[in-house]
Amino acid sequence: MGAEKEYKQNPAKEIDYVQVTESKSFKKLMHDRKKFIVPLTIFFLVFYFLLPVLTSYTTFLNTPAIGDISWVWLFALAQFIMTWVLCTVYVKKAAVFDKQADEIIKEMEEGGEGR
């Protein structure tokens, strides 16, 4: 955010956004984000939709796990836990991506190509 704030305070500096998108550091940032987000999204969607699919087409989750508590309740609870864990992981990783983006902004303000 620091470099972005500096840029907004000094609008006289023009950044060539085509140059930014073609730079090696920007392409690395986009690759890293995709490499992180796609598997996380696939995992989330599979885990999320597994509960209604399993409850609709199988009876496995209806069996008791702990006393009168069935597996369906544990799976549903696990979905809440999974959501909080994935959210925490994403927020920490997004901070890393923000630092990379700030470095790209600084690099472009200084006139570097980063290719």
Side-chain angles (χ1 to χ4, degrees):
M1 277 310 257
E4 184 178 335
K5 288 178 186 175
E6 288 174 19
Y7 176 73
K8 287 180 180 178
Q9 290 174 353
N10 190 359
K13 294 181 181 178
E14 289 291 325
I15 293 179
D16 182 9
Y17 290 103
V18 173
Q19 181 184 6
V20 172
T21 59
E22 292 175 355
S23 70
K24 190 183 287 185
S25 53
F26 182 78
K27 287 180 182 178
K28 181 182 180 332
L29 171 64
M30 291 294 104
H31 174 74
D32 292 347
R33 284 184 58 207
K34 184 177 178 182
K35 191 173 149 184
F36 174 73
I37 290 173
V38 169
L40 207 65
T41 302
I42 291 170
F43 170 75
F44 172 80
L45 290 172
V46 168
F47 195 83
Y48 181 78
F49 286 111
L50 200 57
L51 179 63
V53 168
L54 288 177
T55 56
S56 297
Y57 299 108
T58 69
T59 58
F60 165 73
L61 293 178
N62 296 333
T63 59
I66 304 169
D68 289 336
I69 301 172
S70 65
W71 284 105
V72 72
W73 287 103
L74 294 177
F75 197 98
L77 178 64
Q79 286 191 336
F80 284 99
I81 295 168
M82 181 255 327
T83 302
W84 282 101
V85 168
L86 290 182
C87 181
T88 303
V89 168
Y90 177 78
V91 166
K92 290 181 188 259
K93 191 68 173 177
V96 173
F97 295 143
D98 288 345
K99 286 180 186 175
Q100 283 180 297
D102 286 343
E103 289 173 9
I104 292 169
I105 291 170
K106 284 181 187 176
E107 184 179 293
M108 291 301 150
E109 283 179 342
E110 293 169 358
E113 291 185 31
R115 291 185 184 197

